[in-house]
């Protein structure tokens, strides 16, 4: 479930959500490499569709997201990401809150749920198992999380390798 209603759709100003709320932060404030930023874009596109399955998945959104990964492996990344969010959807009791990728204001804000997923993915890609496990446990709200661990690991294995030097704050924060 996204928090932006897109009632402003088509206007250059976007919605009024210009500052992160409680437990949110700016995307730029989290230590994600370019591959992880692209995963966030793809995740939001997939979540937008999952939030309203009656609307057709916009092929242009998926193609745009796939192009940033390039090559034939992009379809595997899309499948793995869809499987990950399907597992999260089945395990969580409360809605998964995400920012609308089409809103110029909201897409700059990382919700708590998105942050946990992205930090779990970043930690998994860097071999930080305990940090990844902590984030996954919180994503799953203490429910059995083996499928989510499995899907995070599978996604991390098919993504390009992470950068070797972190640019800022530790990934496991």
């Amino acid at each position: 479930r996204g928090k932006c209603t897109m009632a402003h759709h088509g206007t250059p100003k976007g919605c009024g959500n210009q500052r992160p709320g409680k437990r949110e932060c700016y995307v730029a404030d989290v230590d994600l490499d370019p591959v992880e930023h692209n995963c966030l874009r793809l995740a939001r596109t997939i979540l937008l569709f999952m939030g309203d399955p009656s609307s057709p998945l916009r092929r242009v959104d998926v193609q745009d997201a796939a192009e940033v990964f390039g090559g034939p492996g992009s379809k595997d990344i899309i499948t793995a990401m869809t499987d990950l969010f399907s597992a999260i959807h089945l395990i969580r009791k409360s809605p998964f809150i995400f920012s609308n990728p089409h809103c110029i204001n909201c897409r700059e804000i990382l919700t708590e749920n998105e942050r946990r997923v992205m930090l779990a993915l970043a930690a998994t890609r860097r071999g930080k198992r305990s940090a990844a496990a902590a984030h996954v446990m919180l994503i799953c709200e203490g429910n059995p999380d083996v499928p989510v661990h499995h899907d995070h690991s599978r996604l991390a294995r098919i993504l390009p390798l992470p950068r070797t030097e972190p640019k800022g704050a530790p990934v496991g924060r």
Side-chain angles (χ1 to χ4, degrees), residues 17-92:
N17 295 331
Q18 296 184 358
R19 290 192 197 124
K22 188 177 179 181
R23 298 184 182 171
E24 296 177 333
C25 63
Y26 289 106
V27 173
D29 291 342
V30 179
D31 188 25
L32 301 176
D33 69 17
V35 169
E36 293 152 359
H37 278 281
N38 290 334
C39 283
L40 177 61
R41 277 182 52 199
L42 176 59
R44 286 174 169 172
T45 298
I46 290 168
L47 288 164
L48 196 60
F49 169 71
M50 291 175 78
D52 185 8
S54 65
S55 68
L57 180 59
R58 291 177 28 164
R59 185 179 301 270
V60 69
D61 289 341
V62 174
Q63 287 172 344
D64 179 49
E67 283 177 14
V68 298
F69 293 107
S74 63
K75 288 181 182 178
D76 294 334
I77 293 169
I78 291 169
T79 300
M81 184 78 69
T82 303
D83 290 347
L84 171 64
F85 284 104
S86 294
I88 290 170
H89 173 72
L90 292 172
I91 290 170
R92 286 177 61 91

